[in-house]
Amino acid sequence: MARLGGRTALWIFWFISTVISVLFMIVGLITFVNLTNVQWNEEAGDLGAQLNGALAACFMAPVLVAILDLSAMLILAKKTYALSGTGLSYGFLTASYLWAAIFLLLTGTTLTSVKHWTAAFEQSLLWTDSNTREFTAATVLAFLSVGGYLAMFGVLLGCHRSVKAGQMTMDEVEDRIRTLPMSDVSHQASPGPQAWSNGV
């Protein structure tokens, strides 16, 4: 725990935000299937193309969530165990959480705007009360994911120095070389007499 420092906070917030986003991913895809069942159904109002926005949101948002969560796990694992500092991948991950939060905010807003249509959907045998609850859960989890991703964005910004501190700078490398005994440096830098006699 002491060795990880700020990286511990990153993993804790990553786990919390990932649990919320994975739940949204599952319920979102279920809602996508439910909406496709009633999109062109006459008993459900035959909304057709009017549902395209909600369908796109329910499909693209889970795909985005899956890619981001997996990428975050790989990048954070590298930063934790390889102590490779921040770098380009860390900045990319930080920005990704911000625009993913914005995308999920639009997703939740889109689902909210079509929530009143669920009353018409219930007139169809293809839509049940459980489908309405799943739709509501997808909407709520989308907004909760926004909060989780914004929190992760803030933690990534706040832990920037801690993660960067794990990277050895060129000055530190040079200082470490200077502290080595000269005999060790010369021994590592030049071959011995036996090596020259062997034709090195």
Side-chain angles (χ1 to χ4, degrees), residues 125-179:
L125 297 177
L126 300 176
W127 188 277
T128 63
D129 290 339
S130 63
N131 297 144
T132 301
R133 289 192 293 269
E134 290 162 355
F135 185 96
T136 303
T139 305
V140 173
L141 287 170
F143 288 119
L144 289 177
S145 297
V146 172
Y149 278 6
L150 287 178
M152 190 63 187
F153 170 74
V155 173
L156 284 166
L157 286 179
C159 294
H160 179 269
R161 290 185 178 180
S162 176
V163 175
K164 189 176 182 180
Q167 184 179 15
M168 185 177 293
T169 64
M170 288 302 298
D171 291 337
E172 292 172 335
V173 174
E174 292 175 358
D175 291 341
R176 180 165 295 186
I177 293 176
R178 289 194 204 99
T179 58

Side-chain angles (χ1 to χ4, degrees), residues 41-94:
N41 186 266
E42 293 183 359
E43 295 179 355
D46 193 16
L47 295 173
Q50 297 180 70
L51 282 178
N52 285 347
L55 286 169
C58 288
F59 180 78
M60 292 304 300
V63 172
L64 171 66
V65 163
I67 294 174
L68 177 56
D69 289 345
L70 180 59
S71 300
M73 181 183 68
L74 296 176
I75 292 174
L76 291 179
K78 178 182 178 182
K79 300 303 177 184
T80 300
Y81 297 105
L83 297 178
S84 56
T86 50
L88 180 63
S89 60
Y90 189 91
F92 174 78
L93 181 62
T94 303

